[in-house]
Structures are given as C-alpha cells and as structure tokens.
Amino acid sequence: NEDRERAWRASRETKLENIPNCEAAKPTPEEVQGWAQSFDKLMKSPAGRNVFREFLRTEYSEENMLFWLACEELKTECNKHTIDEKARMIYEDYISILSPKEPPRSLRASQVSLDSRVREVINRKMQEPSSHTFDDAQLQIYTLMHRDSYPRFLNSAIYKSLLQTISHSSSES
C-alpha cells in the first residue's frame, strides 16, 4: 500500500514538472496572449497551467494548483479502490487539519483555504469517497485562484517576460 502511494505521488509530481524546453511544448504567442483574455484559457492550457503554477510558487500558494490538478486526476478514475486511495491522499495532503501523529507541515503539501461549510461537506463525503468528493472544494479553489492570483499573474514579471520573449522570438522567424 505504501509503495502504491509512493508511486502515485511520484507519478503526480512527474506530470507536474516543468514542460521540457522543446519546440513542440512551447506555447504560441497567440496562446500566451489568450491567457490574458480568460482564466479558463489559461487553465485549459498545459503550458499555461505550468507557468501559472510557477507564479503561484513565488506567492507560496502552489498548493492551490496542485490540489486542483489532483482533483482533475481523481475525476478520471473509475476503479473504486483507486478512488478511495486517491481521495484519502488528497484529503490528507490538502484538506485535513494536521494531527500530532502526522509529519511536520514542511514534509506535507500545504492545506488549501476552504470555508467551514465545504470542509463539513468533504468530511461527510469521505465516508464513501467518489471521484467527485472534492468538487465543491475544487470550485472554491478555482474561484480563489481566478479572483485573487490570476490578476496578479497577468501583471507579474513571469507572465510579462514570457509574453515579451515569445513575441520577440516569433517576430524573428
């Protein structure tokens, strides 16, 4: 069971690594400009999520993206046993209030900021987890990123630099 948990965490971390620096993975100037038009466009783009995640890391709120991605992955699961395991890991990593028996916070993912109503709903749903156990929480985190982090991202050096670099390199070709 611990091996399976380690493998799942490793596969999750691998999927979240930065996009390799190859032409096929680079977003087009139109795609990067599109991220400023809508948060949905940013979140639907793998490259956009990666850049936004980099930005969130600088704001110490990367756990919001990691939680959102973990929920997206959970929704693709069909196997009841796997859903139970992944739901438990998401709960432990992002929802659960740290108990004294657990490792220090620095060794775990950070807790996401949710209101008490959503926490109560999740606590009830964890009795019989499904692939949609965290839907309310995921929506709340998505909304938080959209309202709070996204405007700052658009004004960030990370985004402006990428926009400038990609526009400059496309004008040279």
Side-chain angles (χ1 to χ4, degrees):
N1 206 8
E2 278 185 28
D3 290 339
R4 195 175 303 140
E5 187 171 316
R6 237 180 266 114
W8 181 73
R9 287 181 200 276
S11 79
R12 184 176 72 185
E13 286 161 13
T14 304
K15 287 178 192 162
L16 300 174
E17 287 173 355
N18 284 336
I19 295 170
N21 196 7
C22 62
E23 291 305 311
K26 281 188 182 174
T28 65
E30 296 76 28
E31 185 179 2
V32 175
Q33 289 164 351
W35 300 342
Q37 294 165 6
S38 114
F39 184 62
D40 289 335
K41 283 185 181 180
L42 174 72
M43 292 296 282
K44 285 181 178 145
S45 159
R49 287 191 305 268
N50 231 340
V51 174
F52 187 54
R53 180 177 170 220
E54 239 178 85
F55 167 75
L56 291 174
R57 193 176 298 145
T58 68
E59 292 207 326
Y60 304 100
S61 58
E62 180 185 23
E63 70 278 356
N64 291 332
M65 178 64 82
L66 296 176
F67 171 73
W68 187 86
L69 288 167
C71 291
E72 285 297 291
E73 185 179 329
L74 179 64
K75 288 178 188 176
T76 67
E77 276 307 325
C78 298
N79 179 294
K80 176 72 174 124
H81 180 70
T82 307
I83 289 170
D84 288 350
E85 284 183 2
K86 286 185 178 184
R88 183 181 52 79
M89 284 186 270
I90 291 170
Y91 183 83
E92 288 174 5
D93 284 352
Y94 302 105
I95 310 295
S96 168
I97 306 296
L98 188 63
S99 78
K101 293 179 188 166
E102 293 180 13
R105 171 75 62 209
S106 61
L107 299 178
R108 302 173 59 229
S110 295
Q111 195 177 347
V112 291
S113 181
L114 300 169
D115 66 36
S116 58
R117 181 195 64 80
V118 169
R119 280 186 191 282
E120 286 172 26
V121 168
I122 290 171
N123 286 334
R124 279 196 306 273
K125 288 182 175 181
M126 283 303 292
Q127 303 302 314
E128 267 303 310
S130 78
S131 57
H132 296 281
T133 294
F134 302 103
D135 284 359
D136 291 345
Q138 186 185 21
L139 177 61
Q140 196 169 77
I141 294 304
Y142 187 88
T143 303
L144 174 74
M145 290 190 297
H146 184 194
R147 288 187 185 150
D148 189 47
S149 304
Y150 176 62
R152 286 195 305 278
F153 167 73
L154 294 178
N155 290 310
S156 71
I158 289 173
Y159 179 67
K160 287 181 175 176
S161 168
L162 175 63
L163 199 54
Q164 192 173 28
T165 304
I166 206 154
S167 298
H168 181 72
S169 65
S170 74
S171 66
E172 287 179 350
S173 15

